[in-house]
Amino acid sequence: MHNARAQSLAYQQRLLTDLSNELRPRGIATVLMAAEDGRPGLSVKDRRSRIRKIYVNVPFYWFYWGDQPDERTSCLNLEAAVERIEQAARAGWRAGEQAELRIDLGLIADAYRRA
């Protein structure tokens, strides 16, 4: 199990590095970082110099920077993800604290078991 976690973290790091490498030439300030729980993340500044941390949700292949539907984009098409994140950063991040996206896969499984 430890090896699977290490592989997942390496995959997340690679995706975020690729994202950063595409955003920086567009004038979007980024810094690779690690969250307190060890997850890799990407700090991204918006036009007002507010920072959001972008993470990878591996099961759903998302980059996300909040818990709202418009605060995530697919990792599967890097060019489209770069466009979406650049657009969000240029418009300015949503005011307030960054909410954490938490998806309880157990609840989804339970819903199918009850159906």
Side-chain angles (χ1 to χ4, degrees), residues 12-94:
Q12 293 172 52
Q13 184 74 34
R14 189 171 54 251
L15 285 171
L16 292 166
T17 298
D18 291 348
L19 179 62
S20 178
N21 289 340
E22 294 294 324
L23 287 170
R24 274 189 268 120
R26 296 171 180 238
I28 305 295
T30 67
V31 175
L32 289 167
M33 45 72 68
E36 289 180 16
D37 62 3
R39 289 178 300 159
L42 185 65
S43 290
V44 179
K45 250 186 215 184
D46 73 0
R47 65 186 184 93
R48 296 181 196 110
S49 294
R50 292 184 301 187
I51 294 176
R52 283 285 190 261
K53 293 174 179 76
I54 297 177
Y55 297 104
V56 177
N57 180 294
V58 175
F60 289 97
Y61 295 99
W62 287 335
F63 289 117
Y64 69 94
W65 54 96
D67 65 343
Q68 300 300 304
D70 65 343
E71 295 176 324
R72 66 185 85 131
T73 188
S74 175
C75 297
L76 298 176
N77 181 338
L78 184 61
E79 185 177 324
V82 169
E83 293 287 332
R84 174 67 192 107
I85 294 166
E86 178 186 16
Q87 176 188 33
R90 292 205 188 284
W93 305 124
R94 183 173 47 89

